[in-house]
Amino acid sequence: MAIIKDSFFINGRWVKAQSSETFEVFTSGTGELYATIPAGTVAEANSAVEAAAAAFPAWSVMAAKDRGEFLSRVSEKLAERSDEIALCIANEVGMPLMLAKGIQAGIPTATFADNAARAADFEWEEEVGNSTLVREPVGVVACITPWNYPLHQIANKVAAALAAGCTVVLKPSEVAPINAFILAEIFEEVGLPAGVFNLVTGSGPVVGEAIVAHPKTDMISFTGSTRAGKRVMEIAADMVKRVSLELGGKSANIILDDADFATAIPDGIFKCYLNSGQTCSALTRMLVPRSRLAEAEDLAVATVAGYTPADPITGASLLGPLVSAAQKERVLGYIRKGIDEGARLIAGGLDAPEGLEQGYYVAPTIFSDVRNDMTIAQEEIFGPVLSIIPYDSEEEAIAIANDSLYGLSGGVWAGTKEKAFEVARKIRTGQVEINGGNFNIFAPFGGYKQSGIGRELGKYGFEEFLEVKAIQK
Ligand code: NDP
């Protein structure tokens, strides 16, 4: 039985949607209907912003440790409901359940806890000469989020904004929205003051643009495609609103000649294929020395044998389906383009994985002999497609890594950490992992170039939601 949602969470209560128009959400693994959600109108978006604006004066002056208390309780409730959240997102997005539990449910839970502690411990004032610098919340924040790590991206914005003393209107992706309803239920349960958090679902061009354009919205925190991010920035420019953008990526993983290939290549494939490649920071371009291309290809092909796609709920694979039929078509289009442009297909391709004709599965795919000017090396595919690009010198590898409109993430593998660190400093991206360094939820995440503006997570993510006032004495 499909889940049916017919209300928005506005001003502390569930408000029935005015329009009968709905969006359908599909189970990625089977293509069956998973849920329907209401399509919000401009009027509903506006009333959510009004509620957030009305709640701001009291919330912004509440003692930060008391705000943190609410967020701590949210984190506890998220932990209690983690199985349900993981199952929900495994259905909506298609990430295998065993990974979804730790990543899709666990990370947002930790992010709420981190922001709870941060609000309590933050130095809100600083003395500079004859000035006292006071940090104050920006105001009402419109949070617009995508579908690939849906609750994680929501938590990055909402937890930090609320901890800082801002109030929020959230418009999640229509493709994976049910986790956002769970979060709203939790806010209701912990007794968050009315209007501090509001949820309105609907399309980006209608609800998204309405909350961005509303005169009482002070800041927009957006995660999604570069195309939609540019549109958001354009609208926000009219009233000079603060904009924080987390956009796409096309990250390079440089494997230097003295690296341990047997470790680096399987690790690189995992970081390309995680969440079926639907990860903004996915390491989608693997750069290997031309003299060792054949060896790298053999290792890559052997690794892919361990990535047979399976149902995300019932299967036992690291690889599930893509999120939707549209995404599957988009990815197959890129595979076709790679073949047409002359890249050499060494694994996967256009055929659906055997026995998985229902649902949105694409075979794990590897192209080799990719040139960096090919479409598959320049554009974000958001599918399980790896491009292996040969290089002739370290300088060329760095130049290829930086030859991208994007600047979100990257990887470097070398014989020593010192060498990898030296190369990492030359990569123009917001993050770089060396010799397989783990994702760190306390480290700032965000992009150079067209990957965005601003940072999320940890101290830097929290400070995005603050103004600074200098009071001279
Ligand atoms: P989209 O840009 O299509 O959508 C993201 C969100 O923006 C959705 O909620 C969408 O609404 C909304 N939106 C769309 N158009 C507008 C508009 N004109 N005004 C306001 N809001 C709008 O991205 P996807 O959901 O397809 O997500 C994938 C993209 O997100 C990839 O490019 C990926 O790289 C990027 N991403 C970046 C991350 C980062 O941190 N840098 C992290 C994760 C993803 P709707 O419900 O209608 O789709």
Side-chain angles (χ1 to χ4, degrees):
M1 264 275 280
I3 298 166
I4 297 175
K5 299 286 180 192
D6 63 1
S7 303
F8 308 115
F9 190 66
I10 300 175
N11 206 19
R13 57 191 189 90
W14 291 96
V15 179
K16 201 131 187 169
Q18 292 165 357
S19 158
S20 56
E21 198 193 325
T22 56
F23 286 104
E24 294 183 320
V25 182
F26 296 96
T27 303
S28 308
T30 61
E32 288 162 6
L33 185 68
Y34 177 64
T36 60
I37 56 156
T41 60
V42 170
E44 287 156 328
N46 288 346
S47 82
V49 177
E50 291 290 346
F56 179 71
W59 181 253
S60 60
V61 298
M62 182 184 281
K65 72 168 184 16
D66 294 341
R67 289 198 299 263
E69 230 358 87
F70 280 107
L71 301 181
S72 255
R73 299 223 297 279
V74 170
S75 176
E76 283 161 24
K77 298 275 174 203
L78 286 170
E80 282 168 22
R81 293 178 72 172
S82 65
D83 286 339
E84 179 193 351
I85 291 167
L87 185 61
C88 165
I89 298 178
N91 275 304
E92 290 181 315
V93 178
M95 178 182 273
L97 192 53
M98 58 182 168
L99 294 173
K101 181 102 194 264
I103 298 172
Q104 302 277 15
I107 295 179
T109 305
T111 300
F112 269 93
D114 178 50
N115 280 288
R118 202 167 294 285
D121 299 340
F122 191 66
E123 296 286 340
W124 293 86
E125 290 187 12
E126 183 188 337
E127 297 300 319
V128 177
N130 67 324
S131 302
T132 300
L133 309 189
V134 183
R135 310 302 300 270
E136 295 177 342
V138 172
V140 173
V141 183
C143 299
I144 301 178
T145 52
W147 45 261
N148 54 337
Y149 291 83
L151 193 58
H152 165 62
Q153 287 139 347
I154 290 171
N156 290 356
K157 301 175 184 326
V158 172
L162 297 186
C166 297
T167 56
V168 160
V169 178
L170 168 65
K171 196 222 77 76
S173 163
E174 74 203 38
V175 180
I178 300 303
N179 57 87
F181 283 87
I182 296 177
L183 181 65
E185 286 165 16
I186 290 176
F187 277 128
E188 185 183 25
E189 220 182 316
V190 304
L192 193 76
V196 170
F197 170 85
N198 305 275
L199 169 70
V200 183
T201 53
S203 84
V206 177
V207 174
E209 294 200 13
I211 62 175
V212 172
H214 196 291
K216 291 187 183 167
T217 302
D218 298 286
M219 171 178 172
I220 295 92
S221 178
F222 174 89
T223 300
S225 61
T226 298
R227 174 195 51 77
K230 286 178 182 171
R231 174 75 186 131
V232 162
M233 206 171 167
E234 212 173 75
I235 301 169
D238 195 42
M239 276 178 264
V240 200
K241 293 179 182 181
R242 185 183 293 195
V243 175
S244 160
L245 303 172
E246 298 290 341
L247 308 174
K250 193 70 199 177
S251 300
N253 189 15
I254 300 179
I255 301 179
L256 292 173
D257 197 38
D258 62 351
D260 171 9
F261 275 40
T263 309
I265 288 179
D267 183 83
I269 287 185
F270 177 76
K271 285 165 183 164
C272 176
Y273 288 171
L274 180 66
N275 205 24
S276 296
Q278 302 165 124
T279 303
C280 46
S281 54
L283 301 180
T284 50
R285 295 184 292 151
M286 183 180 278
L287 277 47
V288 302
R290 192 178 303 277
S291 58
R292 296 182 70 182
L293 182 61
E295 188 187 337
E297 287 176 3
D298 288 347
L299 278 163
V301 170
T303 306
V304 164
Y307 282 82
T308 307
D311 184 278
I313 316 288
T314 57
S317 174
L318 291 172
L319 192 62
L322 295 173
V323 70
S324 64
Q327 189 62 18
K328 176 179 167 182
E329 281 317 305
R330 186 169 168 246
V331 171
L332 291 177
Y334 276 112
I335 296 176
R336 233 170 261 124
K337 190 100 185 166
I339 296 168
D340 292 349
E341 288 187 353
R344 189 158 47 84
L345 189 66
I346 60 168
L350 292 166
D351 295 336
E354 238 180 75
L356 293 171
E357 286 75 23
Q358 308 298 315
Y360 314 124
Y361 298 89
V362 169
T365 295
I366 303 179
F367 284 104
S368 188
D369 263 333
V370 176
R371 283 193 331 267
N372 202 50
D373 62 355
M374 290 179 179
T375 307
I376 54 168
Q378 285 295 323
E379 294 185 14
E380 188 175 45
I381 299 176
F382 244 45
V385 182
L386 177 72
S387 292
I388 300 183
I389 305 177
Y391 67 83
D392 291 307
S393 66
E394 187 181 307
E395 292 66 38
E396 193 197 0
I398 294 164
I400 293 171
N402 288 331
D403 177 17
S404 172
L405 292 176
Y406 295 112
L408 190 58
S409 192
V412 181
W413 283 83
T416 62
K417 279 211 166 168
E418 290 69 28
K419 177 67 195 173
F421 198 91
E422 178 199 317
V423 173
R425 295 184 80 113
K426 297 178 181 163
I427 310 294
R428 302 268 308 151
T429 58
Q431 293 218 335
V432 187
E433 51 170 83
I434 59 169
N435 286 359
N438 284 330
F439 181 69
N440 175 3
I441 69 152
F442 308 110
F445 184 91
Y448 288 23
K449 301 193 260 179
Q450 291 192 29
S451 287
I453 299 174
R455 295 292 180 269
E456 294 194 322
L457 292 171
K459 171 174 168 274
Y460 291 85
F462 174 77
E463 290 188 350
E464 290 283 329
F465 296 96
L466 296 175
E467 291 280 13
V468 57
K469 178 185 285 172
I471 301 174
Q472 275 68 248
K473 296 172 286 190

